[in-house]
Amino acid sequence: MRRSRLIAACQAAVVMGGALMLQGCVAGAVVGGTAAVVGGAAKAGGAVVGAGFDAVTTSDEETRARREREQRDYEREQRRCEQRQRQGKSC
């Protein structure tokens, strides 16, 4: 499973590298550096690439948790406002 992620990441880097090289020499140099980093990570057993996937997953989970908290806070405030209105008070 981990090896297929690594291969997919390397393939994505190669595809993006090819697309960016069409943009000019500067982009080609950047892509070359990126490919070297990905290649080094692949030789290191995928630790860097795996950490990247973990970071993205963590970020997604944190974003989802924050949105859920905000939604709960909003709903709680709406209930409080409705209760105040039933008592004849403003929100």
Side-chain angles (χ1 to χ4, degrees), residues 10-55:
C10 290
Q11 287 174 342
V14 170
V15 169
M16 289 188 61
L20 288 175
M21 277 195 238
L22 296 175
Q23 300 296 321
C25 294
V26 175
V30 171
V31 171
T34 303
V37 170
V38 172
K43 289 180 183 176
V48 173
V49 175
F53 280 113
D54 291 344

Side-chain angles (χ1 to χ4, degrees), residues 73-91:
D73 291 345
Y74 174 78
E75 291 170 356
R76 184 180 309 117
E77 185 59 34
Q78 291 299 311
R79 286 191 303 272
R80 288 178 182 165
C81 183
E82 290 170 2
Q83 186 178 20
R84 288 180 198 138
Q85 286 176 344
R86 282 193 299 268
Q87 294 173 352
K89 300 177 183 176
S90 63
C91 292

Side-chain angles (χ1 to χ4, degrees), residues 1-10 41-42 44-54:
M1 186 75 161
R2 190 167 196 77
R3 182 170 222 128
S4 64
R5 285 184 186 176
L6 180 60
I7 291 170
C10 290
V48 173
V49 175
F53 280 113
D54 291 344

Side-chain angles (χ1 to χ4, degrees), residues 50-69:
F53 280 113
D54 291 344
V56 169
T57 302
T58 301
S59 177
D60 290 344
E61 290 171 357
E62 290 171 352
T63 301
R64 188 177 308 112
R66 181 177 46 83
R67 287 183 180 159
E68 288 173 357
R69 274 194 311 273

